[in-house]
Amino acid sequence: TELLSCLEAVVSTQSTGVPGTLSILCDDIDLVGDIVQALATSLNIENLQSTAVYPAFTDNLREVLVKVDDFHTVRQKLSAEMADHSNLIRSLVVRAEDSRLMYDMNGMKQCYLKLFDLNRDLVNGYNIRCNNHTELLSCLRVVNQAITKAGRLRVGKPKTQVVTACREAIKQNDVDKLFKVIESGAG
């Protein structure tokens, strides 16, 4: 049989009566998570800490986190543009009404044409925001799955600590801490 990769997950059993270290060489983090969970269940291990190195996994996660930042930036920009448009709309509605009251039909027509254009811009911006939001949610699902996968490499309290520490690192926007937690655990 041929090894798929030289990546390594080291699992130390601390809560059992059998001290030791187990190394699992595999490039599939899902498979290693399944193996760790199955070993813990069959050996009745309550707490299991591990060290896992998955460069391809972390590189992919890093790319997704960059996309998340980009989507947040686009969302903020679109929100600011929408606010600017809404202020301009208020102004144009007032000017159109003033033009109507003064029987300035050309001025009223110009205001409503500008309103029509702004409305079209707002609808286009809304569609962009919807697509941006959908893509953002997709990326956030990938990040959540990555945290779950990192947690499955541990059992019991270390698993809970890793998931909590990963979520805290994301809240703090600390990517280096996130990757350190995924690799070494929260302890």
Side-chain angles (χ1 to χ4, degrees), residues 4-20:
L4 297 175
S5 172
C6 61
L7 300 174
E8 182 174 3
V10 181
V11 182
S12 315
T13 59
Q14 297 170 348
S15 66
T16 66
V18 184

Side-chain angles (χ1 to χ4, degrees), residues 61-145:
L61 183 56
R62 188 178 307 276
E63 290 173 13
V64 171
L65 290 171
V66 167
K67 286 181 184 180
V68 167
D69 283 342
D70 291 345
F71 289 132
H72 278 301
T73 302
V74 168
R75 191 182 88 199
Q76 289 175 344
K77 179 183 172 200
L78 290 172
S79 294
E81 286 177 5
M82 189 175 72
D84 291 343
H85 282 329
S86 65
N87 289 333
L88 190 54
I89 286 171
R90 279 189 216 105
S91 170
L92 284 172
V93 167
V94 169
R95 286 196 308 186
E97 184 62 19
D98 288 346
S99 294
R100 186 188 66 82
L101 291 172
M102 296 186 318
Y103 297 106
D104 178 13
M105 295 305 143
N106 285 333
M108 183 179 78
K109 182 179 177 183
Q110 290 301 316
C111 287
Y112 281 125
L113 286 174
K114 288 179 185 177
L115 278 170
F116 179 79
D117 290 340
L118 277 175
N119 186 55
R120 186 179 55 235
D121 290 347
L122 280 173
V123 169
N124 289 337
Y126 173 77
N127 289 333
I128 292 170
R129 281 177 55 121
C130 284
N131 292 335
N132 183 60
H133 184 71
T134 301
E135 292 292 325
L136 176 62
L137 288 179
S138 175
C139 288
L140 290 176
R141 274 188 217 102
V142 170
V143 171
N144 194 43
Q145 290 169 350

